[in-house]
Amino acid sequence: MCKARDQSFIGSFSQNLFPNFHWLSAVTVIITTQLTFFIASVSLNGLSDNSFLAVPEESLVTVGAKDTYLMRYNYQMWRFLTANVLHYDIVHLLCNMLGMLIIGQTLEKDMGTLNFTTAVFIIGFGATLFSAMNSNEVTCGGSPVLYGFVGIFMACLIVNWTWFKDNKEKRCKVLIGTLLTILVALSTDMFHVDPFGNLGGFLVGIMSGLWL
């Protein structure tokens, strides 16, 4: 007779969905930062009517969204990083947080906290730079970093393709991880698409994966 596990439903769900999660991690810091910036942006001018619990554009610009004019002529370089932790509305925020939990925790475990954190900074900066070079629209969001994770998975396949040919199980896991990352990244952009930021994140992700 099978014995029931002495574990709550929530505990079992968390263990299966976030098997590598722990509180003292770079992923936790990133998610906390995203939540903090969202609260800060909402507290400035309240909510917008654009969507459910949406942040007004002027608040996003004040807190640190990508504004090409301010970056180019007022030298507000911090926007290269802050743009990646700001979000348009609560759905946008939750999708990116979930993506970071599901994909980020696995990459952090495989790459190590230092390499993972370095990759996140490089991808975020590179994606914002690529977007600023090709578009003057005010944008923000963490999806370019998720697309960067896709690039890292692709780099892993490129570098280790010969080894993966003889290890079908590992190759299958990496391919599934890549597809899952793409799906999560696409879900974060259902309403707020920054194609240049996402493309830049993907390209920089490949380079980061090859380097790190």
Side-chain angles (χ1 to χ4, degrees):
M1 180 181 294
C2 295
K3 294 183 178 180
R5 291 187 297 179
D6 186 18
Q7 188 177 29
S8 66
F9 171 77
I10 296 178
S12 178
F13 180 80
S14 301
Q15 184 177 357
N16 285 279
L17 190 60
F18 314 121
N20 302 312
F21 176 77
H22 56 93
W23 290 104
L24 297 177
S25 65
V27 168
T28 304
V29 173
I30 293 170
I31 291 174
T32 303
T33 303
Q34 291 177 337
L35 183 59
T36 301
F37 269 76
F38 183 78
I39 294 173
S41 58
V42 169
S43 65
L44 287 178
N45 298 299
L47 296 170
S48 169
D49 295 329
N50 293 334
S51 58
F52 180 62
L53 295 181
V55 182
E57 183 174 298
E58 59 267 26
S59 298
L60 293 172
V61 172
T62 300
V63 178
K66 189 213 83 180
D67 187 314
T68 306
Y69 180 87
L70 295 177
M71 295 164 70
R72 182 177 299 166
Y73 298 107
N74 290 4
Y75 308 105
Q76 297 183 2
M77 298 295 102
W78 62 83
R79 295 180 184 273
F80 281 106
L81 298 178
T82 55
N84 296 284
V85 294
L86 285 167
H87 297 85
Y88 293 101
D89 56 35
I90 189 65
V91 176
H92 191 207
L93 171 68
L94 293 177
C95 285
N96 276 285
M97 289 173 65
L98 182 62
M100 182 61 66
L101 274 173
I102 295 175
I103 309 301
Q105 61 177 357
T106 301
L107 276 180
E108 183 176 359
K109 180 182 178 181
D110 292 341
M111 299 176 65
T113 299
L114 180 60
N115 284 341
F116 174 77
T117 304
T118 303
V120 169
F121 274 98
I122 293 174
I123 292 169
F125 181 90
T128 307
L129 176 62
F130 191 87
S131 177
M133 291 172 61
N134 292 280
S135 171
N136 291 323
E137 292 186 15
V138 174
T139 59
C140 64
S143 55
V145 174
L146 296 181
Y147 277 92
F149 291 167
V150 177
I152 291 177
F153 278 119
M154 293 297 293
C156 180
L157 283 174
I158 293 170
V159 172
N160 301 289
W161 182 252
T162 303
W163 183 82
F164 279 124
K165 286 176 65 176
D166 300 324
N167 294 268
K168 294 182 179 180
E169 183 178 349
K170 283 287 186 181
R171 182 176 62 186
C172 183
K173 286 182 178 180
V174 172
L175 288 173
I176 291 175
T178 303
L179 292 174
L180 180 61
T181 307
I182 293 173
L183 290 174
V184 172
L186 288 174
S187 70
T188 66
D189 282 333
M190 292 174 63
F191 308 104
H192 312 289
V193 180
D194 179 11
F196 294 110
N198 295 338
L199 177 60
F202 175 72
L203 296 175
V204 177
I206 292 179
M207 291 185 286
S208 298
L210 293 174
W211 175 48
L212 298 173

